[in-house]
């Protein structure tokens, strides 16, 4: 009987020490914990200033809002009737973002969705609408999460 009475304070002491020490131990966060601003507004402006080789466009890109970065892009395109399907691969010093864009070739409007990211953009998700105001520019607006 005496042995079990002594064990209870020892167990309680161990639990108390564990709880106090857990605040000093770095526990890796899940990707959900890394969300800085769920649904952060974003604008992506791509300009085909570098060139075009067949159905592949290249240029400069500026991202503002939920992400602020500048870099370059490569954009392979496919025409399907009056629809334009593009993969917009954005390259920045801290990683890449790959986006699928589907556009109407009559209205020059469409939708975009993030397919994947690397580096700092590994857990990035998002999408929105886009407009092609002329032959050289892509303007994407929407939201992102997962930073």
């Amino acid at each position: 009987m005496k042995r079990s009475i002594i064990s209870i304070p020892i167990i309680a002491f161990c639990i108390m020490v564990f709880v106090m020490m857990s605040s000093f131990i770095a526990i890796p966060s899940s990707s959900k914990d890394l969300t800085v601003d769920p649904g952060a507004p974003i604008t992506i402006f791509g300009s085909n200033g570098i060139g075009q080789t067949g159905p592949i466009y290249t240029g400069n890109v500026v991202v503002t809002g939920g992400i602020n970065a500048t870099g370059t892009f490569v954009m392979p395109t496919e025409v399907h009737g009056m629809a334009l399907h593009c993969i917009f691969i954005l390259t920045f010093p801290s990683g890449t973002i790959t986006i699928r864009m589907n556009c109407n070739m009559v209205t020059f409007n469409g939708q975009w969705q993030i397919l994947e990211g690397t580096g700092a953009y590994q857990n990035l998700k998002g999408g929105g609408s886009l407009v092609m105001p002329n032959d050289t520019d892509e303007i994407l607006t929407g939201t992102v999460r997962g930073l």
Side-chain angles (χ1 to χ4, degrees):
M1 182 77 164
K2 205 172 197 178
R3 193 176 256 198
S4 65
I5 294 173
I6 293 173
S7 298
I8 293 173
I10 291 172
I11 292 170
F13 176 77
C14 290
I15 291 172
M16 187 174 69
V17 168
F18 175 77
V19 169
M20 289 188 325
M21 292 303 292
S22 67
S23 64
F24 297 104
I25 298 171
I27 299 172
S29 299
S30 70
S31 62
K32 291 179 184 175
D33 294 335
L34 296 175
T35 300
V36 174
D37 187 3
I42 189 169
T43 300
I44 303 170
F45 177 76
S47 180
N48 301 330
I50 296 175
Q52 176 186 359
T53 305
I56 300 175
Y57 294 83
T58 56
N60 296 308
V61 64
V62 176
V63 182
T64 57
I67 299 170
N68 291 295
T70 59
T72 59
F73 72 84
V74 174
M75 184 177 64
T77 61
E78 293 181 3
V79 177
H80 297 277
M82 294 309 294
L84 186 61
H85 298 256
C86 306
I87 300 297
F88 201 33
I89 304 164
L90 315 178
T91 302
F92 306 106
S94 55
T96 64
I97 301 171
T98 302
I99 297 171
R100 173 181 297 141
M101 302 188 309
N102 296 316
C103 309
N104 181 309
M105 292 181 58
V106 174
T107 64
F108 297 104
N109 295 321
Q111 299 294 315
W112 64 274
Q113 186 73 37
I114 294 174
L115 297 177
E116 69 176 337
T118 66
Y121 313 108
Q122 179 177 334
N123 297 315
L124 193 64
K125 305 288 182 211
S129 60
L130 69 93
V131 63
M132 299 180 298
N134 53 48
D135 289 339
T136 61
D137 299 330
E138 310 283 337
I139 302 172
L140 290 67
T141 56
T143 59
V144 293
R145 63 188 185 285
L147 289 176

